[in-house]
């Protein structure tokens, strides 16, 4: 009852810019630490005939996939106008340390990836499926599968399900964040 009346627990009001600064920094940290696991999972997977030999420099596409998945996940927790603002703040924060000319090119490249990713969401009907298939396609994993799946140009179902399970750990938990914080739009 006390909690219901708001007497015991009040949400901390946070400016969207502040929240997104934290969001991007923590996602970048999770991406850099988590890519090691994803890279090892793909390179040493028993469901592939040979290793794709991903290396540390392959993190860029993975980073884009994680941010695109998380940006699309905003729609579940926020109104349309809030999503537009948060998306803009995310892009600004992601590319804040890049020079003006390079920043424009990086954002354009990201927007191209976003169009590709949105097509995958429509095709595969969920964000997590789109993330897994984006990784499958962008890292050319089909080239490393057995003949049956290679001919079909479809991922081994065991491989793709394990990948989706791993990728599910890269979503920002807005539900938990919004329990204690209120974005002050």
């Amino acid at each position: 009852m006390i909690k219901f009346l708001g007497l015991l627990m009040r949400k901390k009001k946070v400016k969207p810019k502040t929240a997104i600064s934290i969001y991007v920094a923590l996602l970048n940290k999770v991406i850099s630490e988590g890519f090691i696991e994803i890279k090892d999972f793909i390179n040493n997977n028993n469901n592939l005939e040979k290793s794709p030999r991903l290396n540390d420099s392959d993190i860029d596409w993975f980073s884009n996939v994680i941010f695109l998945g998380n940006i699309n996940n905003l729609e579940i927790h926020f109104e349309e106008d809030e999503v537009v603002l948060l998306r803009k703040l995310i892009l600004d924060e992601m590319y804040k340390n890049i020079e003006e000319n390079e920043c424009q090119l990086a954002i354009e490249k990201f927007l191209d990836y976003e169009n590709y990713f949105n097509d995958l969401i429509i095709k595969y009907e969920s964000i997590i499926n789109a993330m897994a298939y984006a990784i499958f396609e962008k890292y050319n994993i089909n080239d490393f599968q057995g003949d049956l799946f290679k001919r079909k140009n479809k991922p081994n179902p065991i491989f793709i399900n394990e990948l989706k399970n791993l990728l599910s750990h890269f979503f920002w938990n807005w539900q938990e964040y919004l329990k204690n914080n209120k974005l002050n739009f």
Side-chain angles (χ1 to χ4, degrees), residues 31-43 166 170:
I31 289 166
S32 66
E33 292 174 2
F35 182 67
I36 296 164
E37 304 250 347
I38 297 295
K39 181 181 69 168
D40 288 345
F41 164 77
I42 293 172
N43 285 340
L166 289 172
F170 289 88

Side-chain angles (χ1 to χ4, degrees), residues 19-175:
I20 292 306
S21 178
I22 295 166
Y23 169 91
V24 169
L26 290 176
L27 273 180
N28 277 328
K29 183 176 190 233
V30 167
I31 289 166
S32 66
E33 292 174 2
F35 182 67
I36 296 164
E37 304 250 347
I38 297 295
K39 181 181 69 168
D40 288 345
F41 164 77
I42 293 172
N43 285 340
N44 301 314
N45 197 285
N46 293 334
N47 295 301
L48 300 176
E49 290 290 312
K50 52 187 176 175
S51 173
R53 295 187 182 157
L54 299 181
N55 57 53
D56 293 340
S57 66
D58 293 318
I59 195 170
D60 291 340
W61 176 245
F62 179 72
S63 178
N64 284 329
V65 168
I66 299 305
F67 272 102
L68 287 165
N70 276 283
I71 287 171
N72 276 276
N73 194 40
L74 293 172
E75 296 172 5
I76 296 169
H77 304 283
F78 299 99
E79 299 296 324
E80 187 176 342
D81 59 325
E82 295 169 340
V83 170
V84 170
L85 174 65
L86 292 173
R87 184 181 168 281
K88 180 195 176 313
L89 291 171
I90 290 168
L91 290 175
D92 289 347
E93 187 68 24
M94 285 173 65
Y95 299 111
K96 72 178 182 183
N97 296 325
I98 299 177
E99 288 184 34
E100 184 77 31
N101 293 340
E102 290 180 33
C103 182
Q104 285 299 101
L105 290 173
I107 289 175
E108 284 179 31
K109 186 177 178 182
F110 186 84
L111 295 176
D112 286 342
Y113 285 150
E114 186 174 44
N115 290 332
Y116 162 76
F117 190 79
N118 288 337
D119 289 343
L120 289 178
I121 290 175
I122 292 166
K123 183 176 181 179
Y124 296 110
E125 301 176 345
S126 80
I127 296 169
I128 196 71
N129 287 343
M131 292 169 72
Y133 282 92
I135 288 173
F136 179 80
E137 290 177 10
K138 288 298 182 178
Y139 291 133
N140 297 313
I141 294 173
N142 191 54
D143 295 344
F144 304 97
Q145 296 194 106
D147 289 336
L148 175 65
F149 291 111
K150 190 184 289 187
R151 274 191 311 247
K152 290 181 176 183
N153 195 22
K154 300 230 186 243
N156 179 313
I158 295 169
F159 173 85
I160 205 75
N161 285 328
E162 290 174 350
L163 181 58
K164 287 190 286 189
N165 183 46
L166 289 172
L167 292 173
S168 68
H169 299 286
F170 289 88
F171 278 107
W172 178 266
N173 189 343
W174 280 110
Q175 190 173 1

